[in-house]
Amino acid sequence: MARLTPRALSIAAIVAAAGLLTPLSAAEAQSGFTPGAPGAGDPYFPDMGNGGYNARHYSLSLAYDSGTKAINAHAKIFATATQNLSRFDLDFLGPLKISKLTVDGQAAAYTRTGAQELVITPRHGLRKGRAFTVDVAYSGVPQMINDKALGVSGWIATHDGAVALSQPFGSATWYPVNDSTGDKATYDFTITVPKGLKALANGEPAGTGTHGSTTTYRWIDRQPTASELVMVAIGHFDVKDTRTPSGLRNITAVDPAAVKAAARTTASESTDRRRLPAVSVASPSGDFNTATANVVEWEQKLFGRYPFGSVGGIDVLAPNVGYSLETQGRPVYARRAAGALPSADLLAHELGHQWFGDSVTPAQWKHIWLNEGFATYTEWLYSEQHGGKTAQQLFDEAYASAKTDWSGKVADPGRDHIFDDLVYTRAAMTIHQIRKAVGDETFFKLIKAWPAAHRYGNDTTAQFIAFTEHFTHKDLDKLFKAWVYSAGKPAL
């Protein structure tokens, strides 16, 4: 094996220390520079995510054409190499065509292979610890995913625009991304639309400008965000930008076509993914913006300080969707037909996700019960504290119901079952069993301490169990074995 001379190594070290990109010799290329992995190691979605680097920030610019439904876009990804990289992958799915790709301003070779791999080979290797930037210019009509088991996601056309719903793997349909729950990043968005349309995204507004027949909206998302929680919505929205009683910024957008003024009943047509129908709770008071404020103020008392810079929601008519999604900071309530406001329990569920699932995100998809169980139990607590059934009554009904799914393991439901009732209702029942085992005083301290301890990070079932047992000073192994790790209906 050829080796570099000591003098060459010394020069290379000086240049690297100065933060400059050093060309790789043939010898260097053969001695430690290797390709990043084409997946992040999630057994449910082996093609999702990539190894060899961490994404730190995405700067996304796109112009939407309402006539062709196409976007003309530019993604700038700021990342750091976690190994000596000879090449690396981004996830990029569907028919969008790349017109230009550079790494640190230099043209890079690339190819698209497999299910969603964009394989990039920079001119020079990237040393471990080095910050680098990838620029990708691309265009076309993004695709919608309709997975047989998991339903619709990705870039979804609506009657007057589009909405991007990325869970679990839709982000790669509209921008190149390291699509892993474990690689959170911050974002900024620059979205140009035909005049008259409005564009919303995660984070907070950062300016709007109209030029001729188009309007550009800018948004900045300053808190770490998992790619499955990234959202863009384009349409004729009625937008309200207010403050909650505690001073939290509250930005809501309502599609006028989604709501009939005479039809404000107790439940909307939108539900959360595949779970059983929502519990019956009184309709939220006031309009969508006010109801959102009321629910998040109540949740801050339960779970502690809200973790993001603003709250809100998008209420949109999207006939292909019909579910709600906890997109970070601003959940999307998509319905197939016009109807009522989102119900109070649905607001409680999606806003509860801001602590459980968004701020604290599963390290792998098999841990999704920590999202959906807590969000569903938030509904139960909302009912209990707002004149509805108690959590115990809801537990008893679910335990007796023939509809409750006892067939799988909550901690490992399987790829095609991550949105099944198993990880919603049975997971909420698990949380109620914890409450009964440790008592109310300790339980309500626990549900504040857990999201605070893991804020902006990731979690696993094992971490949650260890944290719960340490925090409560209880041995709960039998409880978790029966309710989380075993199939079948546990005995009471």
Side-chain angles (χ1 to χ4, degrees):
M1 181 181 292
R3 297 183 181 275
L4 294 177
T5 65
R7 183 173 182 274
L9 285 170
S10 177
I11 293 171
I14 293 170
V15 175
L20 302 175
L21 182 66
T22 58
L24 287 180
S25 68
E28 287 174 308
Q30 295 174 15
S31 58
F33 283 79
T34 55
D42 193 311
Y44 289 5
F45 302 99
D47 295 319
M48 286 180 65
N50 304 283
Y53 66 94
N54 288 327
R56 305 190 319 274
H57 182 80
Y58 293 86
S59 183
L60 304 179
S61 300
L62 63 92
Y64 171 76
D65 186 319
S66 58
T68 64
K69 308 298 183 184
I71 61 172
N72 188 12
H74 175 215
K76 194 171 186 178
I77 302 111
F78 299 84
T80 301
T82 57
Q83 67 182 63
N84 288 341
L85 277 174
S86 59
R87 68 171 188 261
F88 59 93
D89 291 17
L90 288 166
D91 298 298
F92 201 40
L93 178 64
L96 297 175
K97 294 183 178 180
I98 296 171
S99 57
K100 185 178 180 181
L101 192 153
T102 65
V103 176
D104 287 330
Q106 294 185 315
Y110 64 89
T111 185
R112 299 178 73 172
T113 65
Q116 61 188 60
E117 301 304 320
L118 171 58
V119 184
I120 301 169
T121 305
R123 287 190 182 183
H124 308 291
L126 302 170
R127 296 187 181 280
K128 181 178 179 179
R130 177 179 173 74
F132 64 96
T133 304
V134 185
D135 282 274
V136 186
Y138 57 98
S139 60
V141 180
Q143 76 173 54
M144 179 184 77
I145 296 172
N146 193 354
D147 185 88
K148 184 177 180 180
L150 303 178
V152 170
S153 64
W155 185 271
I156 300 162
T158 61
H159 64 100
D160 61 351
V163 61
L165 299 176
S166 299
Q167 193 182 81
F169 41 46
S171 286
T173 66
W174 61 281
Y175 72 100
V177 57
N178 190 25
D179 201 7
S180 166
T181 57
D183 194 12
K184 296 185 177 184
T186 54
Y187 283 78
D188 69 78
F189 307 84
T190 302
I191 309 166
T192 300
V193 296
K195 191 175 179 181
L197 292 178
K198 294 177 181 176
L200 297 100
N202 307 89
E204 289 71 58
T208 303
T210 298
H211 305 281
S213 61
T214 64
T215 303
T216 298
Y217 294 85
R218 294 180 175 85
W219 294 79
I220 297 178
D221 181 11
R222 296 178 175 86
Q223 283 81 39
T225 305
S227 53
E228 46 112 357
L229 302 170
V230 175
M231 174 275 298
V232 163
I234 298 169
H236 291 99
F237 293 107
D238 294 329
V239 178
K240 283 191 175 183
D241 188 346
T242 65
R243 296 278 176 176
T244 70
S246 66
L248 180 64
R249 194 169 186 178
N250 179 22
I251 304 170
T252 55
V254 175
D255 178 352
V259 179
K260 293 179 180 178
R264 297 184 184 278
T265 58
T266 59
S268 74
E269 199 266 350
S270 175
T271 60
D272 185 274
R273 283 293 185 180
R274 292 175 173 267
R275 67 185 185 85
L276 294 175
V279 298
S280 177
V281 187
S283 179
S285 60
D287 61 14
F288 181 45
N289 187 273
T290 302
T292 297
N294 290 342
V295 170
V296 80
E297 291 289 282
W298 168 76
E299 288 181 341
Q300 287 193 97
K301 296 175 183 177
L302 279 181
F303 307 136
R305 178 174 64 85
Y306 181 77
F308 305 119
S310 66
V311 71
I314 312 289
D315 191 30
V316 61
L317 183 62
N320 289 322
V321 184
Y323 65 78
S324 298
L325 186 63
E326 61 272 17
T327 48
Q328 185 159 305
R330 196 154 297 107
V332 174
Y333 306 87
R335 75 271 300 288
R336 293 189 177 95
L341 287 169
S343 58
D345 55 308
L346 186 56
L347 292 173
H349 184 110
E350 303 305 342
L351 293 169
H353 269 307
Q354 304 307 305
W355 286 266
F356 304 100
D358 292 16
S359 176
V360 186
T361 308
Q364 292 184 336
W365 283 101
K366 67 180 181 180
H367 307 296
I368 192 173
W369 77 275
L370 291 166
N371 295 16
E372 302 301 348
F374 271 106
T376 302
Y377 199 69
T378 302
E379 296 180 53
W380 293 13
L381 291 174
Y382 189 92
S383 173
E384 180 173 275
Q385 297 183 20
H386 291 83
K389 295 178 181 178
T390 66
Q392 184 62 53
Q393 288 172 321
L394 292 166
F395 175 95
D396 292 341
E397 288 181 1
Y399 191 81
S401 174
K403 294 181 179 179
T404 300
D405 182 0
W406 304 103
S407 63
K409 298 178 182 179
V410 170
D412 194 4
R415 184 263 190 203
D416 290 350
H417 304 287
I418 60 172
F419 299 135
D420 283 7
D421 182 60
L422 175 70
V423 297
Y424 289 76
T425 302
R426 186 171 169 189
M429 296 173 78
T430 301
I431 293 165
H432 187 68
Q433 289 295 91
I434 297 170
R435 178 183 175 183
K436 291 175 66 177
V438 304
D440 275 13
E441 182 179 356
T442 299
F443 174 78
F444 284 104
K445 290 178 181 178
L446 170 68
I447 61 176
K448 277 187 178 179
W450 167 251
H454 292 77
R455 180 170 296 208
Y456 308 136
N458 295 91
D459 59 5
T460 67
T461 299
Q463 287 174 331
F464 176 71
I465 292 172
F467 184 93
T468 299
E469 292 187 328
H470 177 77
F471 187 88
T472 64
H473 306 291
K474 294 274 189 179
D475 182 350
L476 301 173
D477 287 355
K478 290 183 179 179
L479 187 159
F480 284 111
K481 182 178 180 180
W483 284 90
V484 174
Y485 287 117
S486 301
K489 187 175 183 177
L492 295 180

